[in-house]
Amino acid sequence: SVEPGEVRVFAQYDRDLTLEADVVVVGSGPTGAVVAKELTDAGKSVVLVEEGPPFVPAEYELDGGLSMARTMREGGLRTTSGTIMPTMQAIALGGGSLVNSAICNRAPAFVLDRWCTDFELERTTRADLDPHYEAVATFLGISVTPDNVLGRRNLLFRDGCNALGYQCESILRNVRGCRGSGECFTGCRSRAKQSMDISYIPAAIRGGARVLTSVRIERVLAEGWRATGVVGRVVKPFTGKPSHQVRVHAKVVVLAAGCAATPVLLQKSG
């Protein structure tokens, strides 16, 4: 069994595992981590599942190639159909937040309004979402990047925009005490970037969430049209070699494996 608040890592799996929960969340990035924390706050029993391992600063690689090979799917070289642009999909506790630039812009009102019309959505206008944006911003310390972090090249760019009459502003980022070291992409060694592994996931763990790392979910379990859980395999970090089976039976299944992996999982599940 896995106790409330426990984090399971690859070396700790020695047999097949079956768990029960109110909610199972697949993916520990900015979506899954927030969902897990909010649901534990609401008193639900939550199992958070992540395919990748946890990382600490001593394990970060400053070499970009080595870093991508360790933290990203297919070494950061996976592409989507019809384009040669790589899609950076992290395989790590914290998901993409571990290796992104901490940029936290809000979706423009006109985009959300169009989605509400095109997809017949309710309660998803900018006015509806702003209280939630504010809650996340407060929790993560999202704020305008200060001049000392911007550095001289960005300040020169800003001066150029002002001289030409172009509107410009410093970007919003989820950091606390950022030193501007430029190591966001390979892992923030100063722990200034409030990635999910040091912000929302620990909060979910304090609330009793059980976290299974190095587990790749392969299929959603269902009875008729109702999802009843997930099943997958323990996978070795960096190689993906599968071993023990993992099943989580839950009243609610949340798929938060990103815009590339979530559709694949749905397809495999029929």
Side-chain angles (χ1 to χ4, degrees), residues 186-215:
T186 54
C188 181
R189 288 189 297 168
S190 66
R191 306 295 264 179
K193 180 169 65 173
Q194 299 300 291
S195 51
M196 299 301 102
D197 57 313
I198 66 170
S199 55
Y200 272 97
I201 294 174
I205 292 168
R206 290 192 294 270
R210 291 167 285 175
V211 179
L212 305 179
T213 68
S214 296
V215 173

Side-chain angles (χ1 to χ4, degrees), residues 68-136:
M68 286 196 295
R70 288 168 59 80
T71 61
M72 296 184 183
R73 196 176 299 280
E74 296 175 19
L77 300 177
R78 171 176 286 192
T79 60
T80 53
S81 178
T83 177
I84 59 171
M85 181 179 293
T87 56
M88 304 298 189
Q89 300 166 44
I91 307 180
L93 187 66
S97 70
L98 190 79
V99 292
N100 67 14
S101 296
I103 297 170
C104 287
N105 288 332
R106 302 185 184 189
F110 73 87
V111 172
L112 294 172
D113 289 343
R114 189 175 72 241
W115 288 353
C116 288
T117 301
D118 292 350
F119 305 112
E120 300 180 2
L121 303 178
E122 296 180 358
R123 295 184 297 277
T124 48
T125 67
R126 178 61 183 267
D128 293 321
L129 295 180
D130 268 338
H132 305 293
Y133 276 128
E134 292 294 341
V136 172

